[in-house]
Amino acid sequence: MQDLEVIREFLIESHENLSRLDQELVELEKHPKDAALLASIFRTIHTIKGTCGFLAFTTLERVSHHAESLLSQLRGGERELNPILVSIILETVDAIRKVLASIEATGEEGPDLFESLTERLRVTAQLNP
């Protein structure tokens, strides 16, 4: 029963964070070097990743881990935001929403492992801009 309560709180917090993240991503496109926005976006993905590890949601943890690596590079000034990065970040947010919806509906992450997205995130993070 306590696990269900923790999962419910995780879902509520994640949906709230993703709603804020949507607004922040729009602002980030206008102000791609805004350190506070980058830090907030990074924290949202980092929080989701960390909680997923605790709750054993491995697909969501894997996707958010690779997105976090990319966001860390942006936050650290190692690379600059561009349309390709915006697109893959938005795709990541969509994938996270799909997994959250599945968890909410069934208690499980669902069949989609988002392997293509995860691989593209991994490769993109490894590329030097």
Side-chain angles (χ1 to χ4, degrees), residues 80-94:
E80 290 188 18
L81 191 67
N82 61 48
I84 293 169
L85 295 180
V86 170
S87 179
I88 201 165
I89 292 167
L90 290 172
E91 187 177 348
T92 300
V93 172
D94 288 344

Side-chain angles (χ1 to χ4, degrees), residues 38-54:
L38 284 166
S40 181
I41 292 166
F42 175 86
R43 271 192 314 276
T44 296
I45 299 299
H46 177 75
T47 299
I48 289 171
K49 181 197 80 168
T51 307
C52 288
F54 175 73

Side-chain angles (χ1 to χ4, degrees), residues 17-94:
N17 286 339
L18 289 176
S19 291
R20 187 186 69 252
L21 184 67
D22 287 338
Q23 296 168 358
E24 290 174 341
L25 287 170
V26 169
E27 284 302 308
L28 187 63
E29 285 186 277
K30 296 175 189 171
H31 310 283
K33 295 184 181 191
D34 187 316
L37 278 173
L38 284 166
S40 181
I41 292 166
F42 175 86
R43 271 192 314 276
T44 296
I45 299 299
H46 177 75
T47 299
I48 289 171
K49 181 197 80 168
T51 307
C52 288
F54 175 73
L55 296 173
F57 292 134
T58 57
T59 298
L60 197 49
E61 181 181 21
R62 188 172 38 257
V63 170
S64 56
H65 169 74
H66 289 291
E68 180 186 50
S69 296
L70 192 57
L71 289 164
S72 179
Q73 293 172 358
L74 287 167
R75 185 178 71 156
E78 298 168 41
R79 66 184 329 140
E80 290 188 18
L81 191 67
N82 61 48
I84 293 169
L85 295 180
V86 170
S87 179
I88 201 165
I89 292 167
L90 290 172
E91 187 177 348
T92 300
V93 172
D94 288 344

